[in-house]
Amino acid sequence: MELMMEHLANGFIVMLLITMPLVLTAAAIGLIIGILQAVTSVQEQTIVAAPKILFVFLMIMILGGFFTKKLTDLLMESGNLAFNVITKQGDFVLPSDVTLGTDGKYYKSGETSDIDKFMKNPGKAPYSEFQQKPHLQRTFPDSQSRPNLMETKQIMENRK
């Protein structure tokens, strides 16, 4: 999980590295034009737009190679994480005869949850049977099966 958080933080840093020069350029040009308008008493809003667009475009042209390099590095790092690092950590899936009940517990096929039993028999108190969680089975790397979101959440909770 911390690997994904670190990668997300790297993505935000790349985003800031790309946007900050452009935003600062637009702000500086707006400030300069604003001072000139205050000195000359010309209060026309359209005068500010053209220089901002021009200078931001020039900054994109000047720093475009740097921006492309940073985005390419982030993309390559993402691909490496997705296809080489995370997939090598091992996949765990539940057996095919196990389903998730309405109460968030796992049941083998044919079993029902206490909530389901209570809903069918509202006059009776719910059963207090001990439910054992099914054991997770390790799959081989060449297996095509992947855990769904609920299975992944359960696997992560069991690892703690």
Side-chain angles (χ1 to χ4, degrees):
M1 187 69 175
E2 58 268 350
L3 180 68
M4 295 303 291
M5 295 302 287
E6 182 180 335
H7 187 64
L8 183 65
N10 288 343
F12 280 121
I13 289 171
V14 168
M15 178 187 65
L16 287 174
L17 282 173
I18 290 173
T19 58
M20 285 308 290
L22 304 176
V23 170
L24 291 175
T25 300
I29 296 302
L31 180 66
I32 292 169
I33 299 294
I35 292 171
L36 289 174
Q37 284 181 337
V39 169
T40 61
S41 298
V42 175
Q43 298 299 322
E44 182 63 35
Q45 295 298 322
T46 57
I47 295 174
V48 181
K52 277 186 183 180
I53 292 171
L54 178 68
F55 280 99
V56 168
F57 179 73
L58 286 174
M59 287 298 291
I60 291 173
M61 294 298 289
I62 293 169
L63 297 175
F66 172 73
F67 296 161
T68 304
K69 175 79 170 118
K70 284 295 182 186
L71 286 173
T72 304
D73 291 345
L74 183 67
L75 180 65
M76 295 301 282
E77 184 182 346
S78 299
N80 183 35
L81 282 174
F83 298 116
N84 295 331
V85 176
I86 294 174
T87 56
K88 300 292 188 235
Q89 291 179 352
D91 296 328
F92 293 92
V93 296
L94 293 172
S96 61
D97 63 339
V98 175
T99 58
L100 181 65
T102 56
D103 57 354
K105 295 179 182 176
Y106 290 96
Y107 297 95
K108 291 192 180 241
S109 61
E111 293 181 356
T112 58
S113 68
D114 293 339
I115 294 174
D116 294 335
K117 292 175 185 176
F118 185 67
M119 294 302 287
K120 291 178 183 174
N121 304 309
K124 298 180 181 178
Y127 300 101
S128 60
E129 298 173 2
F130 176 71
Q131 297 286 338
Q132 288 187 351
K133 294 182 180 177
H135 296 294
L136 302 175
Q137 298 175 342
R138 182 163 168 69
T139 61
F140 297 104
D142 60 341
S143 174
Q144 295 296 322
S145 60
R146 293 260 182 233
N148 65 23
L149 182 64
M150 294 302 292
E151 291 172 339
T152 304
K153 182 180 175 186
Q154 185 68 26
I155 290 167
M156 291 302 163
E157 288 175 0
N158 288 339
R159 284 187 181 177
K160 293 179 182 178

